Amino acid sequence: MTSDTTQTELVTEEIETLRELAARAHAVLWDFDGPICRLFAGHSADRVADDLVDWLESRGLHGLLTEGERRSLDPHVVLRAVDRRHPGSDLVAELEERLTQEELRATTSAMPTPFADPLIRTWKAVGARLAIATNNSPRVVRTYLTNRGLTSCFAPHIYGRTQQLDHLKPDPHCLNRALSAMGSAPAAALMIGDTPSDLLAANEAGVPFLGYARNEHKQKLLRDAGAATIVDSLEPLLEAVRIQA
């Protein structure tokens, strides 16, 4: 068997796997930042995290975060850390709103994930119910979808960050809300995500998972977390869905 033959068989196997996933998915749950767009493509998430840390320090709260949390460069790490120490406080609410405003600004320069828009429209056209289950603010998701003309593909099923930060993924809360609202059994759904927390939430909710990894680093993280099926492009999934039309 030649290497070319082996590669062809692997591609064929991947396509068949995607066709099976697409055929069984009557409800499709999407993570937002990653599978649908790169929200911080032109508005650095690192800078946002630094700004949140600076804001806390300007209020005399330098000691609220560990050194690792201050240097995480992930705004959600900062937000979760503050919530763990002051759950449900006005401080957490104000910090969450500051993050939401930064995310809203980021929508103006967000980069659509290649093939995401036609995949969303095609899947909707063949009868699937679509929802978004994200750790981003639902206000941000709606703004982005409106700008792309995609709101009708998802509304009203947009489930994102609330004041209850313990419900963020990997907790399956937003997935369970979506499944309940759409009347879908977990086995008849599919979660598309790009992080281990997406995978863990899907596993907890009993939903099949498809990983999207735009680079080798993200692919390794998903593999190490146990993801069985990962794609580096949504194009073959689009072709699989088109077969259903």
Side-chain angles (χ1 to χ4, degrees):
M1 181 183 295
T2 67
S3 59
D4 286 346
T5 301
T6 301
Q7 183 64 31
T8 299
E9 289 180 349
L10 288 173
V11 171
T12 301
E13 182 179 342
E14 178 187 83
I15 291 173
E16 186 58 33
T17 297
L18 294 178
R19 288 178 62 179
E20 290 175 2
L21 285 172
R24 291 199 302 264
H26 300 296
V28 184
L29 314 182
W30 292 73
D31 180 40
F32 174 64
D33 185 8
I36 291 179
C37 69
R38 287 178 60 194
L39 178 60
F40 289 103
H43 187 75
S44 171
D46 296 357
R47 187 186 63 76
V48 172
D50 284 341
D51 286 349
L52 293 180
V53 171
D54 290 345
W55 179 78
L56 287 169
E57 294 185 350
S58 72
R59 294 170 64 98
L61 297 171
H62 175 84
L64 193 60
L65 302 175
T66 67
E67 188 63 25
E69 289 162 350
R70 280 193 292 273
R71 295 187 177 186
S72 69
L73 303 181
D74 183 340
H76 279 110
V77 169
V78 176
L79 186 60
R80 287 177 192 263
V82 175
D83 185 63
R84 282 195 301 272
R85 283 137 201 163
H86 296 279
S89 65
D90 289 345
L91 176 64
V92 172
E94 188 168 353
L95 194 65
E96 192 279 329
E97 178 60 24
R98 293 181 73 87
L99 175 55
T100 295
Q101 291 301 318
E102 292 290 351
E103 290 176 338
L104 285 168
R105 277 189 279 275
T107 61
T108 62
S109 56
M111 182 179 297
T113 298
F115 303 100
D117 287 19
L119 175 56
I120 289 165
R121 292 191 174 97
T122 302
W123 228 329
K124 183 70 173 179
V126 300
R129 289 164 293 171
L130 308 183
I132 289 178
T134 177
N135 285 350
N136 296 112
S137 166
R139 290 156 57 191
V140 173
V141 175
R142 292 189 190 98
T143 297
Y144 176 84
L145 294 179
T146 298
N147 291 342
R148 302 295 298 175
L150 294 170
T151 304
S152 62
C153 294
F154 292 97
H157 302 299
I158 298 169
Y159 306 97
R161 189 175 64 239
T162 69
Q163 293 294 320
Q164 293 179 279
L165 299 181
D166 57 330
H167 286 166
L168 293 175
K169 292 175 289 183
D171 189 280
H173 179 75
C174 60
L175 282 73
N176 289 332
R177 287 180 65 201
L179 294 172
S180 177
M182 294 190 293
S184 174
L190 176 67
M191 175 73 192
I192 302 176
D194 71 331
T195 65
S197 65
D198 294 325
L199 172 62
L200 292 171
N203 288 344
E204 185 69 21
V207 175
F209 181 80
L210 173 64
Y212 168 70
R214 61 182 176 84
N215 56 43
E216 291 184 2
H217 174 66
K218 284 186 170 290
Q219 185 172 102
K220 184 179 187 304
L221 291 176
L222 287 171
R223 289 279 185 218
D224 290 348
T229 306
I230 304 171
V231 295
D232 60 7
S233 169
L234 296 179
E235 185 176 17
L237 183 57
L238 173 60
E239 294 305 316
V241 172
R242 281 175 172 162
I243 292 172
Q244 301 177 57

